[in-house]
Amino acid sequence: MNKSAVSLPTELISVNAIKVVNRLTDQGHQAYLVGGCVRDLLLGKPPKDFDVATSAHPEEVRELFRNSRMIGKRFRIVHVRFGRDIVEVATFRGPQAEIHEDHYTDSGMILNDNLYGTFEEDVYRRDFTMNALYYDVTRNEIIDLVGGMEDIETRSIRLIGEPDNRYREDPVRMLRAIRFNASLGFDIDEGSGISIRRIGYLLQDIPPARIFEEVLKLFMNGCGEASFTALREFDLYGWLFPSSHRSLDDARSEKLIRLALASTDQRIAIQKPVTPAFVFAALLWYPFLQERQRLSEKMTILEASHEAATSVIANQQLFTSIPKRFSGPMRDIWNLQFRLPLRFGKKPDVLLTHKRFRAAYDFLLLREESGEELEGLGSWWTEYQEVTGDEREKMKVKPGANTRGKRKRKRQRRPKDRMTTE
Ligand code: ATP
Ligand code: MG
């Protein structure tokens, strides 16, 4: 067994995680810190959360910690809670491939993963070598059976075992590879990468709700734009967002998506709130516009907007679920785009009080920046928010006056001819 003494930045280790490990080992169980926390500690980064792997069965773990509960359908995991801090405790998993073929679908995917195993078996059930390092708290040692230490040193994302098989067992591992590539800046090892390009279609077998969770981790974790780049590079984007993928032929669509993701990344960096609704609004904006245009030939533009939003969202939900709490705000952001040009009477002031105004305004700015020709609408709104009273009155734009910019205004020499539709 490959063990090496290490000096981890102990100040970054959760005292609660240590407590959990100690209580388990005191009771005669094996218990280690494992996974992302060990990887991050080796990189000198503060871990997001702490995972413990143990020989104790979930029921035994439950009994040892009053402050714990069982979670998970695929894997039964115990959450031990200390205030807001949660330590995740998982029992060693066994190798199911050979023995329990009925746990697999035709494509080789694991359906039921609830069988326990030994320490060694647990190691080989993990995804990447860098995620299969076990930290023995008492001895201050790392146990490395798969060459994970070296891969961390060379900054390499390498699947344990044969890539095609490991992705077939759980295609979400492909998305995890992308996420680590984007967030850690590690390279995906050649074998592990080629395989992704070849069998990315397997993501279609994953329930949309699970894909949605992974997409959130990709796009809402501070490295969204890099994740988008990596998804494209490894030919996975189309399996997650087919309509958005097709829209990328229009360079403005890609620009808009990148801007939305980059702005989300920046906001996360300075701890400002972010919402998937904004990102999804950008991902699907061009598919939505296109569908709206198509439908407008057979119904009113208002109906077309409504129908287009419904159908674009419904189609996307075949791939990633979009919970109502996000699809609602997303539609609001879209709908407001068609109200922002109406700058007469009370309309702008009413719009300013809309709970989604800010998001819609930010979205408008990104649309302009991505190359949509909106005749200065963004700066008009920026200025409108800066001035008050009389100045706002002066800024208002009569209906029709703004739609074609200067050219139209020249033609409209006789104001009497103009219709007021207010
Ligand atoms: P993060 O920093 O995002 O938490 P992580 O590697 O800790 O990254 P988790 O989802 O917390 O990711 O999973 C903890 C550990 O469980 C992983 O490091 C890995 O060893 C194992 N694991 C997670 N998902 C899978 C999977 N789909 N297949 C195999 N092993 C997995
Ligand atoms: Mg983790």
Side-chain angles (χ1 to χ4, degrees):
M1 203 178 268
N2 189 352
K3 293 184 181 183
S4 52
V6 282
S7 61
L8 292 182
T10 39
E11 71 283 2
L12 296 181
I13 304 182
S14 142
V15 283
N16 297 324
I18 305 267
K19 265 188 231 166
V20 170
V21 170
N22 286 341
R23 173 124 20 124
L24 285 162
T25 48
D26 286 350
Q27 296 297 313
H29 301 292
Q30 284 170 281
Y32 304 95
L33 290 184
V34 68
C37 65
V38 179
R39 178 195 71 221
D40 290 346
L41 288 168
L42 284 165
L43 293 168
K45 294 196 336 170
K48 275 205 321 274
D49 46 41
F50 287 83
D51 294 308
V52 170
T54 180
S55 56
H57 282 200
E59 300 74 23
E60 296 174 303
V61 181
R62 269 286 286 124
E63 272 167 31
L64 279 178
F65 301 95
R66 266 192 308 122
N67 49 337
S68 67
R69 66 192 186 96
M70 208 94 90
I71 60 138
K73 277 181 235 142
R74 276 165 52 81
F75 309 120
R76 279 201 299 162
I77 287 171
V78 180
H79 270 179
V80 186
R81 181 181 281 280
F82 301 86
R84 296 178 63 195
D85 195 13
I86 291 175
V87 180
E88 227 176 80
V89 185
T91 303
F92 295 151
R93 285 169 204 154
Q96 289 144 67
E98 299 77 25
I99 324 163
H100 298 278
E101 278 182 4
D102 55 341
H103 290 281
Y104 283 71
T105 62
D106 288 344
S107 62
M109 199 163 94
I110 300 175
L111 290 180
N112 182 343
D113 219 347
N114 262 338
L115 302 167
Y116 308 122
T118 63
F119 173 82
E120 271 85 2
E121 287 166 342
D122 191 71
V123 174
Y124 292 97
R125 287 280 304 113
R126 294 189 178 266
D127 49 5
F128 304 103
T129 59
M130 64 178 182
N131 287 343
L133 298 171
Y134 294 69
Y135 178 57
D136 182 329
V137 172
T138 337
R139 298 206 167 105
N140 193 29
E141 276 176 354
I142 298 266
I143 308 173
D144 176 10
L145 304 190
V146 290
M149 292 288 269
E150 197 186 323
D151 283 333
I152 286 188
E153 238 156 71
T154 58
R155 304 174 68 79
S156 172
I157 302 168
R158 185 195 313 275
L159 271 174
I160 299 168
E162 208 282 309
D164 274 16
N165 287 345
R166 298 309 310 282
Y167 289 136
R168 276 181 202 285
E169 281 175 5
D170 183 4
V172 166
R173 289 172 187 151
M174 297 191 260
L175 297 180
R176 289 174 56 83
I178 298 293
R179 171 153 65 91
F180 296 127
N181 170 255
S183 64
L184 304 172
F186 283 24
D187 289 327
I188 301 177
D189 162 74
E190 202 181 325
S192 308
I194 287 173
S195 183
I196 295 183
R197 291 204 177 85
R198 196 168 49 227
I199 55 178
Y201 64 87
L202 290 173
L203 285 174
Q204 294 172 107
D205 298 347
I206 306 294
R210 188 161 176 233
I211 297 275
F212 179 73
E213 290 303 313
E214 280 309 310
V215 164
L216 287 189
K217 290 183 192 167
L218 285 164
F219 287 161
M220 312 303 292
N221 264 358
C223 47
E225 198 191 350
S227 298
F228 175 74
T229 303
L231 284 173
R232 303 273 317 278
E233 189 186 335
F234 287 91
D235 299 341
L236 291 184
Y237 189 67
W239 300 114
L240 302 179
F241 298 99
S243 65
S244 174
H245 188 233
R246 286 191 296 274
S247 81
L248 298 178
D249 288 344
D250 184 335
R252 294 173 303 175
S253 181
E254 171 159 2
K255 187 91 191 283
L256 178 72
I257 293 168
R258 286 194 180 277
L259 287 169
L261 290 168
S263 129
T264 302
D265 292 348
Q266 278 159 16
R267 291 178 66 97
I268 290 171
I270 52 173
Q271 279 149 30
K272 277 197 187 176
V274 289
T275 168
F278 190 84
V279 169
F280 273 72
L283 296 176
L284 298 174
W285 174 244
Y286 278 85
F288 163 68
L289 281 187
Q290 214 174 33
E291 183 65 0
R292 178 175 178 267
Q293 176 67 33
R294 197 181 67 81
L295 292 172
S296 70
E297 280 157 28
K298 40 186 167 173
M299 51 182 87
T300 69
I301 194 72
L302 265 180
E303 287 165 342
S305 282
H306 181 83
E307 289 291 308
T310 303
S311 87
V312 167
I313 291 172
N315 282 331
Q316 181 54 40
Q317 283 181 319
L318 302 173
F319 301 86
T320 68
S321 58
I322 309 177
K324 277 236 165 56
R325 65 182 188 283
F326 301 129
S327 58
M330 209 176 131
R331 299 178 74 119
D332 287 346
I333 292 172
W334 285 347
N335 286 332
L336 289 177
Q337 300 308 307
F338 305 109
R339 288 173 59 187
L340 286 162
L342 310 177
R343 292 162 288 165
F344 50 88
K346 294 203 171 65
K347 288 190 187 292
D349 301 296
V350 172
L351 216 53
L352 277 177
T353 63
H354 195 288
K355 66 171 185 251
R356 225 69 79 184
F357 171 78
R358 185 74 215 181
Y361 163 71
D362 287 344
F363 195 77
L364 174 73
L365 294 184
L366 299 193
R367 284 173 59 206
E368 266 188 341
E369 208 183 328
S370 70
E372 257 188 89
E373 184 45 71
L374 299 170
E375 296 164 357
L377 189 57
S379 25
W380 188 93
W381 274 104
T382 307
E383 196 182 334
Y384 194 80
Q385 292 173 81
E386 283 161 2
V387 300
T388 48
D390 281 355
E391 281 165 298
R392 282 194 174 177
E393 280 312 312
K394 278 188 227 144
M395 280 186 72
K396 286 185 182 168
V397 180
K398 297 216 173 78
N402 60 312
T403 46
R404 280 287 172 263
K406 282 182 196 146
R407 210 157 49 83
K408 185 144 187 187
R409 234 172 279 143
K410 265 189 203 156
R411 269 196 268 123
Q412 293 168 342
R413 282 216 189 99
R414 291 177 299 165
K416 269 186 236 158
D417 287 349
R418 208 159 58 218
M419 289 214 310
T420 41
T421 50
E422 206 180 327

